Amino acid sequence: MVNHYHFYKFNSLTGEKHSHRLTGYTEYMFGIGSFHFHVYFGTTSFNGHYHVYSGITGLPVKTAHGHKHKIAGRLNMANLHSHYYENYTHENIEYTGGKILKRVLS
């Protein structure tokens, strides 16, 4: 499978009477063909505090126009609370060129 990444945008579960928006792109792809994963990470803020998150996606789930990956986990503890999140990446994929990736990793 050609190296690619996915966009994601969804809200965490509500905790402490608010939720956080997680928005970003998956990063590095590792694995082969339909047995591949992506790394993701980011920060999300709300009303003066922020949480960080990171993880590894689930395996690809086939869709009508390609595939998507499950993203699930827990935001780090901040202001004495945390939030769980669970959703999927968008099925549309963007491709990264091998030459660009090799330059970045060199």
Side-chain angles (χ1 to χ4, degrees), residues 15-90:
E16 298 294 314
K17 300 182 182 178
H18 69 275
S19 66
H20 288 263
R21 171 75 62 164
L22 285 76
T23 304
Y25 288 90
T26 60
E27 293 279 338
Y28 318 104
M29 181 188 120
F30 58 96
I32 299 172
S34 63
F35 187 79
H36 74 274
F37 304 89
H38 297 271
V39 174
Y40 64 92
F41 53 89
T43 61
T44 178
S45 63
F46 176 83
N47 200 23
H49 75 279
Y50 72 95
H51 299 274
V52 297
Y53 61 92
S54 64
I56 298 173
T57 66
L59 287 169
V61 176
K62 189 162 177 53
T63 63
H65 302 289
H67 70 276
K68 60 186 179 180
H69 295 267
K70 186 173 185 176
I71 294 180
R74 184 176 182 166
L75 303 178
N76 79 312
M77 184 70 74
N79 280 15
L80 302 175
H81 73 277
S82 185
H83 301 265
Y84 288 97
Y85 60 89
E86 183 176 342
N87 214 307
Y88 288 88
T89 65
H90 291 201

Side-chain angles (χ1 to χ4, degrees), residues 89-105:
T89 65
H90 291 201
E91 66 183 330
N92 297 341
I93 61 175
E94 301 289 334
Y95 294 99
T96 58
K99 291 179 184 177
I100 293 171
L101 186 60
K102 284 179 188 174
R103 250 192 321 235
V104 169
L105 297 176

